[in-house]
Amino acid sequence: MFIFTLKMTYIFLSNTDLYFSNSINSDSELIIIEDDECKHILNVMRHELNDELFITDGNGKIFKSIIVDKNKKSIECKILDKIEYKQKFPNITFCIPMLRIIDRLEFALEKCTELGVTNFILYKAKRSVAKAFNQKRIEKILISAIKQSLLSWLPKVSYANSVEEIASLPGEKIVFEQNSNLYFDNKIVKSNKNYFLVFGPEGGFSDEEVSFLDSSAKYKLADNRLRSETAIIKAASLL
């Protein structure tokens, strides 16, 4: 992946390790990395002084830097260059129901993140058979996904208590329904509109939920029925 930097140079990121810090001040010349990421850099990756690191802030920037100071608890890096990216799908939000098996929900979020989706709403449907999930664990999974895929935008995850809440949000709603005669593809979404892609719960929508989404556009993803997490990942890949 070639990236264009502010200094009119080209940097090739391919076999590069990417690190994350949510406390980067882009006006400063230094980045401080602490906690688990610091331990990973020092104890697992075995980086030393003057080693080159690429670090993202999760807000569209990747910083090329070198280690100028380190101890057991923190690393200090000097910024050499800053690379900025546009968000790939800023106008698209995936509305995902709470799933009965948490691992499948986490898998879907991870793969969609790797494919460039950066906005999620996790919602509770009336027929959801869901267990409690760990919000901090989900954040760690998403950070790991952007690092793995050399991405600079950390997804935002919000929560809704009902389908009605999603239906009231400003923007176009696209509902995935097996009985639709229309197939979903990336030509359907336009860059000048906001879209909420709504995936049904494992038990299906209730009649009341269907009424809230009655005016929404409806598409199918395949001729055969897909598991919820498969449908979610397929929609991301089609985008």
Side-chain angles (χ1 to χ4, degrees), residues 1-6 8-16 54 62 83-86 149-152:
M1 174 172 60
F2 281 101
I3 49 185
F4 196 62
T5 78
L6 299 181
M8 306 293 285
T9 58
Y10 284 100
I11 299 175
F12 183 71
L13 292 186
S14 178
N15 296 321
T16 305
F54 287 89
I62 292 179
I83 310 130
E84 294 191 74
Y85 295 87
K86 289 184 178 179
S149 300
L150 303 177
L151 297 171
S152 60

mmCIF file of all heavy atoms in Angstrom, residues 1-6 8-16 54 62 83-86 149-152:
data_model
loop_
_atom_site.group_PDB
_atom_site.id
_atom_site.type_symbol
_atom_site.label_atom_id
_atom_site.label_comp_id
_atom_site.label_asym_id
_atom_site.label_seq_id
_atom_site.Cartn_x
_atom_site.Cartn_y
_atom_site.Cartn_z
ATOM 1 N N MET A 1 0.855 -1.176 0.000
ATOM 2 C CA MET A 1 0.000 0.000 0.000
ATOM 3 C C MET A 1 0.894 1.229 0.000
ATOM 4 O O MET A 1 1.650 1.457 0.924
ATOM 5 C CB MET A 1 -0.888 -0.019 1.247
ATOM 6 C CG MET A 1 -1.718 1.224 1.436
ATOM 7 S SD MET A 1 -2.916 1.058 2.790
ATOM 8 C CE MET A 1 -1.830 0.741 4.174
ATOM 9 N N PHE A 2 0.818 2.079 -1.047
ATOM 10 C CA PHE A 2 1.598 3.306 -1.098
ATOM 11 C C PHE A 2 0.814 4.428 -0.437
ATOM 12 O O PHE A 2 -0.392 4.546 -0.628
ATOM 13 C CB PHE A 2 1.898 3.702 -2.546
ATOM 14 C CG PHE A 2 3.035 2.921 -3.142
ATOM 15 C CD1 PHE A 2 2.798 1.866 -3.996
ATOM 16 C CD2 PHE A 2 4.343 3.241 -2.813
ATOM 17 C CE1 PHE A 2 3.829 1.141 -4.535
ATOM 18 C CE2 PHE A 2 5.396 2.533 -3.362
ATOM 19 C CZ PHE A 2 5.138 1.473 -4.217
ATOM 20 N N ILE A 3 1.485 5.253 0.309
ATOM 21 C CA ILE A 3 0.827 6.361 0.965
ATOM 22 C C ILE A 3 1.568 7.647 0.681
ATOM 23 O O ILE A 3 2.790 7.668 0.581
ATOM 24 C CB ILE A 3 0.707 6.112 2.475
ATOM 25 C CG1 ILE A 3 2.034 5.664 3.065
ATOM 26 C CG2 ILE A 3 -0.353 5.096 2.770
ATOM 27 C CD1 ILE A 3 1.944 5.306 4.512
ATOM 28 N N PHE A 4 0.839 8.732 0.539
ATOM 29 C CA PHE A 4 1.399 10.028 0.170
ATOM 30 C C PHE A 4 1.500 10.880 1.414
ATOM 31 O O PHE A 4 0.524 11.078 2.114
ATOM 32 C CB PHE A 4 0.468 10.697 -0.852
ATOM 33 C CG PHE A 4 1.100 11.836 -1.576
ATOM 34 C CD1 PHE A 4 2.210 11.611 -2.376
ATOM 35 C CD2 PHE A 4 0.583 13.105 -1.473
ATOM 36 C CE1 PHE A 4 2.789 12.656 -3.069
ATOM 37 C CE2 PHE A 4 1.159 14.155 -2.157
ATOM 38 C CZ PHE A 4 2.263 13.936 -2.960
ATOM 39 N N THR A 5 2.638 11.388 1.728
ATOM 40 C CA THR A 5 2.843 12.112 2.974
ATOM 41 C C THR A 5 2.894 13.606 2.731
ATOM 42 O O THR A 5 2.976 14.077 1.598
ATOM 43 C CB THR A 5 4.152 11.678 3.658
ATOM 44 O OG1 THR A 5 5.233 12.326 2.981
ATOM 45 C CG2 THR A 5 4.359 10.184 3.602
ATOM 46 N N LEU A 6 2.850 14.338 3.839
ATOM 47 C CA LEU A 6 2.866 15.788 3.755
ATOM 48 C C LEU A 6 4.187 16.320 3.222
ATOM 49 O O LEU A 6 4.264 17.440 2.745
ATOM 50 C CB LEU A 6 2.588 16.381 5.137
ATOM 51 C CG LEU A 6 1.222 16.026 5.749
ATOM 52 C CD1 LEU A 6 1.067 16.707 7.097
ATOM 53 C CD2 LEU A 6 0.091 16.430 4.828
ATOM 54 N N MET A 8 5.793 15.159 0.701
ATOM 55 C CA MET A 8 5.902 14.799 -0.707
ATOM 56 C C MET A 8 6.837 13.614 -0.937
ATOM 57 O O MET A 8 7.568 13.550 -1.905
ATOM 58 C CB MET A 8 6.376 16.004 -1.535
ATOM 59 C CG MET A 8 5.537 17.245 -1.346
ATOM 60 S SD MET A 8 3.860 17.077 -1.985
ATOM 61 C CE MET A 8 4.168 17.193 -3.734
ATOM 62 N N THR A 9 6.845 12.687 0.009
ATOM 63 C CA THR A 9 7.648 11.479 -0.138
ATOM 64 C C THR A 9 6.721 10.282 -0.160
ATOM 65 O O THR A 9 5.584 10.344 0.266
ATOM 66 C CB THR A 9 8.642 11.330 1.023
ATOM 67 O OG1 THR A 9 7.922 11.297 2.249
ATOM 68 C CG2 THR A 9 9.627 12.468 1.053
ATOM 69 N N TYR A 10 7.230 9.157 -0.656
ATOM 70 C CA TYR A 10 6.448 7.933 -0.669
ATOM 71 C C TYR A 10 7.011 6.955 0.344
ATOM 72 O O TYR A 10 8.219 6.776 0.452
ATOM 73 C CB TYR A 10 6.479 7.290 -2.065
ATOM 74 C CG TYR A 10 5.587 7.988 -3.056
ATOM 75 C CD1 TYR A 10 6.115 8.885 -3.979
ATOM 76 C CD2 TYR A 10 4.219 7.762 -3.078
ATOM 77 C CE1 TYR A 10 5.311 9.542 -4.887
ATOM 78 C CE2 TYR A 10 3.399 8.411 -3.978
ATOM 79 C CZ TYR A 10 3.946 9.291 -4.882
ATOM 80 O OH TYR A 10 3.146 9.937 -5.782
ATOM 81 N N ILE A 11 6.125 6.360 1.100
ATOM 82 C CA ILE A 11 6.504 5.322 2.054
ATOM 83 C C ILE A 11 5.690 4.087 1.737
ATOM 84 O O ILE A 11 4.487 4.167 1.508
ATOM 85 C CB ILE A 11 6.240 5.767 3.507
ATOM 86 C CG1 ILE A 11 7.064 7.011 3.841
ATOM 87 C CG2 ILE A 11 6.555 4.660 4.480
ATOM 88 C CD1 ILE A 11 6.770 7.590 5.202
ATOM 89 N N PHE A 12 6.344 2.954 1.707
ATOM 90 C CA PHE A 12 5.645 1.713 1.397
ATOM 91 C C PHE A 12 5.385 0.949 2.686
ATOM 92 O O PHE A 12 6.314 0.573 3.394
ATOM 93 C CB PHE A 12 6.492 0.859 0.445
ATOM 94 C CG PHE A 12 5.804 -0.412 0.024
ATOM 95 C CD1 PHE A 12 4.732 -0.367 -0.832
ATOM 96 C CD2 PHE A 12 6.233 -1.647 0.499
ATOM 97 C CE1 PHE A 12 4.091 -1.523 -1.231
ATOM 98 C CE2 PHE A 12 5.599 -2.810 0.102
ATOM 99 C CZ PHE A 12 4.530 -2.747 -0.768
ATOM 100 N N LEU A 13 4.109 0.790 3.022
ATOM 101 C CA LEU A 13 3.734 0.018 4.204
ATOM 102 C C LEU A 13 3.210 -1.334 3.755
ATOM 103 O O LEU A 13 2.173 -1.425 3.127
ATOM 104 C CB LEU A 13 2.648 0.738 5.009
ATOM 105 C CG LEU A 13 3.023 2.039 5.706
ATOM 106 C CD1 LEU A 13 1.872 2.527 6.557
ATOM 107 C CD2 LEU A 13 4.264 1.864 6.556
ATOM 108 N N SER A 14 3.933 -2.371 4.066
ATOM 109 C CA SER A 14 3.496 -3.715 3.709
ATOM 110 C C SER A 14 3.863 -4.677 4.829
ATOM 111 O O SER A 14 3.014 -5.134 5.570
ATOM 112 C CB SER A 14 4.124 -4.153 2.386
ATOM 113 O OG SER A 14 3.738 -5.472 2.079
ATOM 114 N N ASN A 15 5.146 -4.946 4.978
ATOM 115 C CA ASN A 15 5.607 -5.821 6.055
ATOM 116 C C ASN A 15 5.956 -5.005 7.298
ATOM 117 O O ASN A 15 6.878 -5.322 8.029
ATOM 118 C CB ASN A 15 6.819 -6.629 5.585
ATOM 119 C CG ASN A 15 6.452 -7.567 4.451
ATOM 120 O OD1 ASN A 15 5.375 -8.154 4.466
ATOM 121 N ND2 ASN A 15 7.319 -7.684 3.464
ATOM 122 N N THR A 16 5.206 -3.943 7.496
ATOM 123 C CA THR A 16 5.454 -3.029 8.603
ATOM 124 C C THR A 16 4.598 -3.411 9.803
ATOM 125 O O THR A 16 3.459 -3.834 9.645
ATOM 126 C CB THR A 16 5.096 -1.587 8.162
ATOM 127 O OG1 THR A 16 5.813 -1.277 6.976
ATOM 128 C CG2 THR A 16 5.417 -0.586 9.241
ATOM 129 N N PHE A 54 6.057 2.852 13.313
ATOM 130 C CA PHE A 54 4.891 3.510 12.734
ATOM 131 C C PHE A 54 3.757 3.404 13.744
ATOM 132 O O PHE A 54 3.417 2.307 14.202
ATOM 133 C CB PHE A 54 4.496 2.865 11.404
ATOM 134 C CG PHE A 54 5.435 3.191 10.278
ATOM 135 C CD1 PHE A 54 6.539 2.397 10.022
ATOM 136 C CD2 PHE A 54 5.223 4.311 9.479
ATOM 137 C CE1 PHE A 54 7.418 2.696 8.997
ATOM 138 C CE2 PHE A 54 6.093 4.623 8.444
ATOM 139 C CZ PHE A 54 7.194 3.814 8.201
ATOM 140 N N ILE A 62 -1.074 8.257 10.563
ATOM 141 C CA ILE A 62 0.005 7.334 10.928
ATOM 142 C C ILE A 62 1.292 8.159 11.002
ATOM 143 O O ILE A 62 1.593 8.939 10.098
ATOM 144 C CB ILE A 62 0.155 6.188 9.914
ATOM 145 C CG1 ILE A 62 -1.063 5.251 9.982
ATOM 146 C CG2 ILE A 62 1.436 5.391 10.187
ATOM 147 C CD1 ILE A 62 -1.030 4.103 9.002
ATOM 148 N N ILE A 83 1.435 10.899 8.096
ATOM 149 C CA ILE A 83 0.690 10.468 6.914
ATOM 150 C C ILE A 83 -0.794 10.519 7.261
ATOM 151 O O ILE A 83 -1.202 9.989 8.296
ATOM 152 C CB ILE A 83 1.070 9.037 6.509
ATOM 153 C CG1 ILE A 83 2.593 8.893 6.417
ATOM 154 C CG2 ILE A 83 0.414 8.637 5.201
ATOM 155 C CD1 ILE A 83 3.136 7.713 7.153
ATOM 156 N N GLU A 84 -1.603 11.180 6.417
ATOM 157 C CA GLU A 84 -3.026 11.318 6.703
ATOM 158 C C GLU A 84 -3.848 10.569 5.662
ATOM 159 O O GLU A 84 -3.539 10.589 4.463
ATOM 160 C CB GLU A 84 -3.432 12.787 6.728
ATOM 161 C CG GLU A 84 -2.791 13.559 7.870
ATOM 162 C CD GLU A 84 -3.408 14.938 8.050
ATOM 163 O OE1 GLU A 84 -4.544 15.002 8.570
ATOM 164 O OE2 GLU A 84 -2.754 15.925 7.663
ATOM 165 N N TYR A 85 -4.901 9.915 6.136
ATOM 166 C CA TYR A 85 -5.792 9.144 5.271
ATOM 167 C C TYR A 85 -7.212 9.670 5.374
ATOM 168 O O TYR A 85 -7.642 10.098 6.445
ATOM 169 C CB TYR A 85 -5.827 7.673 5.692
ATOM 170 C CG TYR A 85 -4.537 6.923 5.546
ATOM 171 C CD1 TYR A 85 -3.595 6.935 6.574
ATOM 172 C CD2 TYR A 85 -4.257 6.190 4.401
ATOM 173 C CE1 TYR A 85 -2.405 6.240 6.452
ATOM 174 C CE2 TYR A 85 -3.071 5.493 4.276
ATOM 175 C CZ TYR A 85 -2.154 5.517 5.298
ATOM 176 O OH TYR A 85 -0.979 4.829 5.181
ATOM 177 N N LYS A 86 -7.939 9.585 4.284
ATOM 178 C CA LYS A 86 -9.378 9.845 4.329
ATOM 179 C C LYS A 86 -10.086 8.604 4.856
ATOM 180 O O LYS A 86 -9.652 7.487 4.612
ATOM 181 C CB LYS A 86 -9.907 10.187 2.932
ATOM 182 C CG LYS A 86 -9.461 11.550 2.423
ATOM 183 C CD LYS A 86 -10.110 11.858 1.092
ATOM 184 C CE LYS A 86 -9.706 13.252 0.602
ATOM 185 N NZ LYS A 86 -10.327 13.562 -0.716
ATOM 186 N N SER A 149 -4.178 -4.635 9.777
ATOM 187 C CA SER A 149 -4.483 -4.249 8.396
ATOM 188 C C SER A 149 -3.851 -2.925 7.986
ATOM 189 O O SER A 149 -4.148 -2.412 6.902
ATOM 190 C CB SER A 149 -6.004 -4.168 8.216
ATOM 191 O OG SER A 149 -6.583 -5.424 8.486
ATOM 192 N N LEU A 150 -3.008 -2.359 8.860
ATOM 193 C CA LEU A 150 -2.326 -1.091 8.568
ATOM 194 C C LEU A 150 -3.322 0.019 8.259
ATOM 195 O O LEU A 150 -3.188 0.763 7.288
ATOM 196 C CB LEU A 150 -1.332 -1.262 7.406
ATOM 197 C CG LEU A 150 -0.250 -2.322 7.597
ATOM 198 C CD1 LEU A 150 0.623 -2.431 6.358
ATOM 199 C CD2 LEU A 150 0.613 -2.024 8.826
ATOM 200 N N LEU A 151 -4.333 0.125 9.107
ATOM 201 C CA LEU A 151 -5.375 1.135 8.943
ATOM 202 C C LEU A 151 -5.220 2.218 10.009
ATOM 203 O O LEU A 151 -4.693 1.969 11.091
ATOM 204 C CB LEU A 151 -6.759 0.493 9.048
ATOM 205 C CG LEU A 151 -7.083 -0.546 7.968
ATOM 206 C CD1 LEU A 151 -8.381 -1.271 8.290
ATOM 207 C CD2 LEU A 151 -7.182 0.126 6.597
ATOM 208 N N SER A 152 -5.717 3.405 9.706
ATOM 209 C CA SER A 152 -5.496 4.534 10.611
ATOM 210 C C SER A 152 -6.767 5.027 11.296
ATOM 211 O O SER A 152 -6.707 5.952 12.101
ATOM 212 C CB SER A 152 -4.869 5.696 9.840
ATOM 213 O OG SER A 152 -5.727 6.111 8.793
#
